[in-house]
Amino acid sequence: MSLRPPVSEQDHIQGNPGAAIELVEYGDYQCPHCGHAYPIVKQLQEALGDKLKFIFRNFPLSEIHPDARLAAVAAEAASRQGKYWEMHDIIFENQEQLKKSNLLEYARQIGLDLPRFQTDLESSDLMDIVEEDFESGVRSGVNGTPTFFVDGRKYGGSWEPEAFAAFLNSRLKEA
Amino acid sequence: MLSPGTTAPDFTLYSTPDQKVSLSEFKGKRVILAFYPADWSPVCGDQMALYNETLRFFHKHNAEVIGISVDGKWCHLAFSKDRNLHFPLLADFEPKGAVADQYGVFDEKLGECKRALFVIDEEGIIRWSYLSPVGVNPGADGILDALEQMDATVQK
């Protein structure tokens, strides 16, 4: 199963854009498994350094996680002020509290222009971006969260740190 | 397992404790039949929860989704409420698995439906089918590909 569409400038990319390995996560900010994966991804980024770039795409399962979609919009809204990853991190670090009032507090903590952030939270353009991510996930064969793609191919193995690091290192040798 | 081109056998099953649903009621619409082993799968994004989120994409292609398992109507009711599902789950409960058996997707050893998908057109003809390994959530991309192909054929 391959990623469609492939990673482009539309995506949020963390790390060296020319890195040998491309790791994409489809995630849901309110999903406990994604919360579990969050520090693991950080560990992998640290271990692989500039050999890894990380891309996050939204896959909110809104019916079971009612706050997930607004949290995704909040990250996109922060992106308009150049602080996507700061918002991404603070949301995952507080994923049990994702009501609007919480998101506003996180926005304040990372130093966003609050009135602008609040307006952007209602933006239909940003909601469309989240929806496009979701649809791309469905078309790429994402069937739950988190789902990872390594170099454009769906990763079916374990994403616990040792197994995942071993897999990525083996990719690195092939590259 | 019934193959594309076959007329989908009609059936009538309980969708709630006091309501029944028949396949024939959906004439003029496309129907996605999703047979699955059991309610209460332990993961977040299980198959039915996923289809609940992808309903809006199915509707664009004039398609409705129906889940079918051998769980009873009360079990379906509780599961459906818990997951906030917006489509019917049918109970292939008595005689157990009879509808799944007609479609060739009943696992007699386990006494459960296999994980199988059928896309049925407006006239009640099966146009696409897929059998997934039982532990693997087949997702929605295959269904959407099938629906798009059907749209393309209609336009010709």
Side-chain angles (χ1 to χ4, degrees), chain B residues 1-3 6-13 22-24 31-35 66 68 92 97-106 113-114 116-120 124-126 128-129 131:
Chain B
M1 183 173 186
L2 295 182
S3 13
T6 317
T7 301
D10 194 22
F11 54 77
T12 303
L13 293 172
S22 299
L23 179 64
S24 53
V31 176
I32 302 151
L33 283 187
F35 290 92
I66 298 173
I68 303 182
D92 196 8
V99 171
D101 197 38
Q102 271 188 298
Y103 281 78
V105 294
F106 185 61
C113 299
K114 294 178 182 173
L117 297 170
F118 294 89
V119 175
I120 298 166
I125 311 292
I126 297 172
W128 180 82
S129 63
L131 182 65

Side-chain angles (χ1 to χ4, degrees), chain A residues 20-156:
Chain A
I21 303 178
E22 174 193 279
L23 175 64
V24 175
E25 176 184 354
Y26 278 92
D28 168 322
Y29 285 116
Q30 210 182 345
C31 158
H33 304 289
C34 299
H36 181 60
Y38 166 73
I40 295 174
V41 170
K42 291 266 184 233
Q43 259 175 276
L44 295 170
Q45 285 180 291
E46 199 158 310
L48 288 158
D50 64 0
K51 298 185 188 71
L52 181 75
K53 62 178 160 182
F54 175 60
I55 292 93
F56 186 83
R57 288 182 176 174
N58 297 296
F59 202 76
L61 295 169
S62 310
E63 297 289 347
I64 51 171
H65 299 145
D67 303 327
R69 186 167 289 264
L70 189 63
V73 173
E76 297 300 332
S79 172
R80 285 197 168 168
Q81 299 185 41
K83 296 207 170 177
Y84 177 80
W85 293 103
E86 288 87 340
M87 187 55 105
H88 172 92
D89 288 0
I90 202 167
I91 288 174
F92 267 136
E93 283 157 22
N94 297 277
Q95 74 167 166
E96 275 158 33
Q97 291 175 310
L98 298 180
K99 299 288 179 210
K100 193 171 178 183
S101 57
N102 303 121
L103 296 170
L104 291 172
E105 172 56 23
Y106 305 147
R108 194 191 60 75
Q109 283 181 31
I110 63 170
L112 296 183
D113 172 345
L114 283 183
R116 187 174 163 203
F117 176 75
Q118 246 173 320
T119 309
D120 285 342
L121 268 190
E122 312 284 326
S123 153
S124 62
D125 288 352
L126 295 184
M127 287 176 205
D128 288 349
I129 288 179
V130 173
E131 180 68 0
E132 278 165 25
D133 270 4
F134 185 86
E135 191 165 2
S136 84
V138 171
R139 301 315 299 250
S140 303
V142 172
N143 51 21
T145 52
T147 294
F148 291 99
F149 290 79
V150 176
D151 297 332
R153 307 285 300 173
K154 189 168 164 182
Y155 174 67

Side-chain angles (χ1 to χ4, degrees), chain B residues 21-113:
Chain B
V21 164
S22 299
L23 179 64
S24 53
E25 290 167 27
F26 290 87
K27 269 260 161 80
K29 285 213 156 212
R30 293 171 181 170
V31 176
I32 302 151
L33 283 187
F35 290 92
Y36 65 103
D39 292 342
W40 306 110
S41 123
V43 295
C44 271
D46 66 51
Q47 194 184 353
M48 294 305 120
L50 180 71
Y51 295 164
N52 205 28
E53 307 281 349
T54 54
L55 271 182
R56 54 187 185 272
F57 304 122
F58 297 153
H59 287 163
K60 283 185 198 162
H61 299 281
N62 190 32
E64 297 293 338
V65 64
I66 298 173
I68 303 182
S69 77
V70 297
D71 294 291
K73 54 196 180 182
W74 296 101
C75 181
H76 274 334
L77 181 67
F79 179 61
S80 184
K81 273 194 176 165
D82 184 75
R83 303 289 157 103
N84 202 18
L85 298 182
H86 301 295
F87 61 89
L89 298 180
L90 304 188
D92 196 8
F93 181 74
E94 181 57 40
K96 190 182 181 193
V99 171
D101 197 38
Q102 271 188 298
Y103 281 78
V105 294
F106 185 61
D107 185 328
E108 284 182 25
K109 220 168 152 194
L110 291 174
E112 291 177 344
C113 299

